[in-house]
Amino acid sequence: MRKIGNNLNALGGVSLALLALFVTSSLIFPRALEAQGGPQKTPGLSDEARSHARKAVTAVGLVLVRRLTDSSGERPRPRGSAVVIRKDGLVATNYHVIIEDRAIRPYDEIYFSLPSGSGEAPQHSGLYRLEPLLIDKRYDLALLRVVKDPASKSPDGPFDFPVLEIGDSRGVKLLDDLIIIGFPEKGGPSVTVNTGIVEGTDVLENWIKTDARLIHGNSGGAAVDSEGKLIGIPTKVVADRQPVDKNGDGFPDEFRFYGAVGFLRPAHLLLAMLEQLETRGMEAPSGSSPRPVQGVVSVQKQPVLIRGIIKSETDGKPVAGARVGLTPAGSTEVSVENLLSWGGSNGEGAFSLNRPVPAGNYTLVVRAIKYEAYTRELYIDGNAQLVIQLRPSP
């Protein structure tokens, strides 16, 4: 504790021991590591949760694509899954589902098929044409809308689709139940549902981790909670596949699979994209004719490095040895789990947090000896240079 005034930035990397000291100190964050009880995993789903999941299935559809260069008569082919998030036909999926792998641009024709009562999604008739509206390459997400397309023989608008309500993806906890809904390639033409739990979260990189089975084709589908609300978009799988050298010649003779972790993009990212649509005035009436793909807006915000100066509110003198922490917006305390970025002020009161963060809303917390605690909600967009004034303790 006698070295509490040293600048954390001089440490290049922060050890767990130092991080624990940072958040547990009574001088820094008094209530940081209070005992936290996590929910216990209960076997199976309740009847109510199953009912919610069945309703959620109706709002998750199959994405089919086609190129203009495809041979005449070639039908759209399955590509992934998507979720209806607004009844007039606004659909969310992964960016990689709607782009051509080689051309890195959206497919010329994108279609959407909702499951019937049997759970099977039609692939040759009754398809809805989709028009890309907003893409976010960083988070691999895309918003599209259903448009009237006589060639697909889809019903005329205005549309009234079943919708998946967006839940509180920031509030998920370890061991929470999850239900994955989608159209994996190996699952045939009918919807596939499987269950799992939340294995962890990565707030800074915007991931929810799960042990639920994710298969190629699930991408862009839905991960819902026990209330049937959309918590995340299944996006990628990281498999633990290890080489095995049986004869000792230095070359692997086989590979063994030890499991996999599924990664979901949290649903609150979709809410931010919806705000983008409203801000840009891209709300066209449902059932309108398709427009050229070049009208698609791409959202690509670079991570932001936060710097600043800490001064005394009374005399304007720099405050050295202050500890600065960045946590998710709305945080009421600081813990090892929610501390996203941190740093300390030098003799001139200057600080620079140890790692950049994505643009967005955060809670900034500052603690310094002989000064009152400082908490501030802020929106970070572009390199931030903050000026923080601390009030001396009585």
Side-chain angles (χ1 to χ4, degrees):
M1 292 300 296
R2 286 176 293 178
K3 295 184 179 180
I4 198 168
N6 291 346
N7 190 340
L8 282 178
N9 296 319
L11 292 179
V14 179
S15 68
L16 283 176
L18 181 57
L19 182 58
L21 175 65
F22 177 62
V23 298
T24 56
S25 167
S26 61
L27 293 173
I28 307 303
F29 298 114
R31 298 183 297 165
L33 287 182
E34 293 177 355
Q36 300 178 7
Q40 297 300 312
K41 173 67 175 173
T42 56
L45 295 173
S46 67
D47 290 341
E48 184 179 10
R50 292 175 187 273
S51 176
H52 289 314
R54 291 189 183 99
K55 183 178 179 181
V57 165
T58 64
V60 182
L62 175 67
V63 174
L64 304 100
V65 297
R66 185 177 181 277
R67 301 183 185 93
L68 292 179
T69 55
D70 289 343
S71 60
S72 177
E74 185 173 345
R75 291 171 171 172
R77 53 194 173 277
R79 175 70 177 175
S81 308
V83 184
V84 181
I85 58 174
R86 208 169 59 192
K87 66 179 183 179
D88 63 354
L90 194 65
V91 172
T93 188
N94 283 131
Y95 172 61
H96 75 258
V97 168
I98 65 168
I99 64 165
E100 297 187 52
D101 295 328
R102 296 180 180 178
I104 315 181
R105 66 181 182 85
Y107 279 90
D108 299 306
E109 297 177 4
I110 306 172
Y111 296 95
F112 185 58
S113 176
L114 285 170
S116 62
S118 64
E120 184 169 344
Q123 298 186 32
H124 308 309
S125 63
L127 305 182
Y128 296 95
R129 181 75 176 267
L130 290 178
E131 174 194 24
L133 283 183
L134 188 67
I135 58 176
D136 189 334
K137 294 180 181 179
R138 172 178 170 79
Y139 293 127
D140 193 7
L141 293 171
L143 293 182
L144 306 92
R145 67 174 168 201
V146 174
V147 292
K148 184 177 179 180
D149 180 27
S152 69
K153 299 181 181 179
S154 61
D156 292 339
F159 303 115
D160 188 15
F161 291 100
V163 175
L164 253 183
E165 180 182 349
I166 297 178
D168 180 15
S169 57
R170 297 183 188 273
V172 298
K173 298 181 178 62
L174 291 174
L175 303 181
D176 278 357
D177 288 316
L178 283 178
I179 303 150
I180 307 298
I181 307 170
F183 290 82
E185 184 179 299
K186 302 302 181 181
S190 62
V191 69
T192 300
V193 177
N194 65 84
T195 61
I197 60 169
V198 173
E199 287 191 312
T201 59
D202 185 339
V203 178
L204 192 57
E205 296 298 327
N206 275 305
W207 289 113
I208 297 173
K209 296 180 285 186
T210 181
D211 68 340
R213 186 178 72 249
L214 302 186
I215 311 172
H216 182 69
N218 269 133
S219 290
V224 303
D225 61 13
S226 57
E227 296 180 352
K229 295 181 180 179
L230 182 65
I231 294 299
I233 301 293
T235 300
K236 71 173 184 177
V237 177
V238 176
D240 183 8
R241 183 170 175 265
Q242 301 291 339
V244 178
D245 181 8
K246 292 183 175 180
N247 56 17
D249 63 356
F251 296 94
D253 299 297
E254 63 181 44
F255 288 86
R256 291 180 183 172
F257 178 73
Y258 292 98
V261 178
F263 287 79
L264 317 171
R265 283 301 184 194
H268 69 260
L269 297 175
L270 298 178
L271 294 175
M273 295 179 73
L274 286 171
E275 291 180 5
Q276 290 267 353
L277 285 184
E278 294 174 0
T279 301
R280 297 174 184 271
M282 299 176 67
E283 300 288 346
S286 62
S288 60
S289 299
R291 290 204 307 267
V293 168
Q294 57 262 30
V296 178
V297 176
S298 178
V299 179
Q300 288 181 293
K301 291 187 176 180
Q302 297 301 316
V304 179
L305 182 62
I306 301 174
R307 301 183 177 91
I309 299 290
I310 302 176
K311 300 179 179 180
S312 170
E313 184 180 86
T314 55
D315 56 19
K317 291 183 178 180
V319 176
R323 289 294 174 265
V324 185
L326 197 70
T327 63
S331 300
T332 57
E333 59 184 36
V334 177
S335 67
V336 173
E337 288 77 14
N338 73 0
L339 189 60
L340 305 177
S341 186
W342 58 90
S345 60
N346 60 20
E348 287 73 43
F351 71 90
S352 177
L353 299 193
N354 69 315
R355 60 188 301 188
V357 297
N361 293 297
Y362 297 94
T363 297
L364 184 77
V365 182
V366 183
R367 300 290 185 266
I369 298 174
K370 298 183 180 180
Y371 289 89
E372 293 183 3
Y374 177 96
T375 302
R376 173 180 170 186
E377 300 292 322
L378 73 164
Y379 177 76
I380 300 297
D381 186 8
N383 286 334
Q385 182 73 28
L386 306 177
V387 177
I388 298 170
Q389 294 185 329
L390 300 184
R391 181 177 301 173
S393 300

